[in-house]
Amino acid sequence: DTEVTQTPKHLVMGMTNKKSLKCEQHMGHRAMYWYKQKAKKPPELMFVYSYEKLSINESVPSRFSPECPNSSLLNLHLHALQPEDSALYLCASRATGLYGYTFGSGTRLTVV
Amino acid sequence: QQQVKQSPQSLIVQKGGISIINCAYENTAFDYFPWYQQFPGKGPALLIAIRPDVSEKKEGRFTISFNKSAKQFSLHIMDSQPGDSATYFCAASRNNFNKFYFGSGTKLNVKP
């Protein structure tokens, strides 16, 4: 299995809703990432988990809450989002050492 | 401060032509330089990567040229095809550091 699987593919939520994005990989990668990507922009790093521990938080607002239940799963909990948070949310994983990311196909999030 | 600068922002090439995208970096500690290809609605996919101990790497129609002294690297797509039409991102990272710095992206359109 050489994929990163993200669910759901699309999500529409109101500003008072609570929802979660899910990411799963079975490649044995011990680094997992959440990225946010706006249209015509490069991916913007949000969080990094290394060996299931949060190692980088790029000053992301607390309405985004990451969770890494085990080495294969990564969640992003969403609460009280703003319309400007609408974007493509990408999960990625990477093997230890100098290797590139494997990205999932993303969740297209729309906040209304 | 933008760690990796990418140009051009957009590129139109005729089928069979050569597409060239350039990137420049400042941090001499970077030692891994991947290129990603992203189709609309999909996550970026690792295309090819290079380390600074070589000046060129070729995989099929895709070649990375690396100039360590100039702190520049470029992607060459030979015999460009309409199926290559996508957005391309360069990136840079350094060993034991769980973060990649992306260029701003180049939208390539290959005309039939």
Side-chain angles (χ1 to χ4, degrees):
Chain A
D1 189 352
T2 58
E3 288 188 343
V4 173
T5 302
Q6 289 189 245
T7 54
K9 293 194 182 306
H10 302 274
L11 179 63
V12 179
M13 60 185 291
M15 290 189 284
T16 59
N17 290 160
K18 285 185 180 181
K19 296 287 184 182
S20 295
L21 310 184
K22 181 180 175 181
C23 172
E24 192 167 5
Q25 58 90 12
H26 296 286
M27 295 177 281
H29 292 173
R30 302 311 297 270
M32 295 185 75
Y33 304 76
W34 281 114
Y35 275 86
K36 173 183 177 180
Q37 188 177 29
K38 291 279 207 179
K40 300 182 180 180
K41 296 290 186 183
E44 181 183 335
L45 183 63
M46 300 175 72
F47 302 104
V48 181
Y49 273 84
S50 179
Y51 291 86
E52 296 94 68
K53 289 187 173 15
L54 183 64
S55 64
I56 297 177
N57 176 342
E58 291 287 284
S59 302
V60 179
S62 60
R63 58 185 183 268
F64 295 91
S65 175
E67 178 195 21
C68 190
N70 59 54
S71 61
S72 300
L73 283 175
L74 190 64
N75 298 318
L76 186 63
H77 303 295
L78 314 172
H79 173 57
L81 295 191
Q82 303 297 310
E84 59 265 29
D85 296 321
S86 298
L88 180 67
Y89 287 84
L90 294 162
C91 175
S93 69
R94 190 170 73 95
T96 304
L98 278 178
Y99 297 98
Y101 294 130
T102 300
F103 279 96
S105 290
T107 294
R108 174 69 62 187
L109 174 67
T110 303
V111 182
V112 296
Chain B
Q1 181 188 3
Q2 193 175 5
Q3 298 271 356
V4 179
K5 295 182 180 179
Q6 183 173 345
S7 62
Q9 186 175 356
S10 63
L11 183 61
I12 299 174
V13 173
Q14 289 296 127
K15 178 182 175 181
I18 302 174
S19 304
I20 302 175
I21 305 170
N22 301 299
C23 285
Y25 63 97
E26 286 298 323
N27 190 342
T28 55
F30 289 149
D31 54 8
Y32 183 69
F33 303 89
W35 283 90
Y36 289 87
Q37 178 189 57
Q38 186 175 25
F39 293 104
K42 299 291 185 184
L46 180 63
L47 194 60
I48 187 173
I50 198 168
R51 297 177 188 182
D53 52 348
V54 298
S55 60
E56 186 174 283
K57 183 175 181 180
K58 184 176 181 179
E59 289 184 2
R61 295 185 294 110
F62 300 92
T63 300
I64 299 179
S65 297
F66 188 83
N67 186 329
K68 189 173 181 177
S69 60
K71 294 187 287 185
Q72 294 176 347
F73 59 110
S74 60
L75 176 69
H76 296 236
I77 306 175
M78 313 300 287
D79 187 27
S80 298
Q81 299 296 312
D84 297 330
S85 297
T87 299
Y88 293 81
F89 293 99
C90 63
S93 181
R94 55 185 172 93
N95 198 11
N96 296 324
F97 191 62
N98 269 324
K99 183 172 180 177
F100 282 76
Y101 296 90
F102 284 90
S104 54
T106 297
K107 186 172 183 179
L108 172 65
N109 185 5
V110 181
K111 297 272 191 194

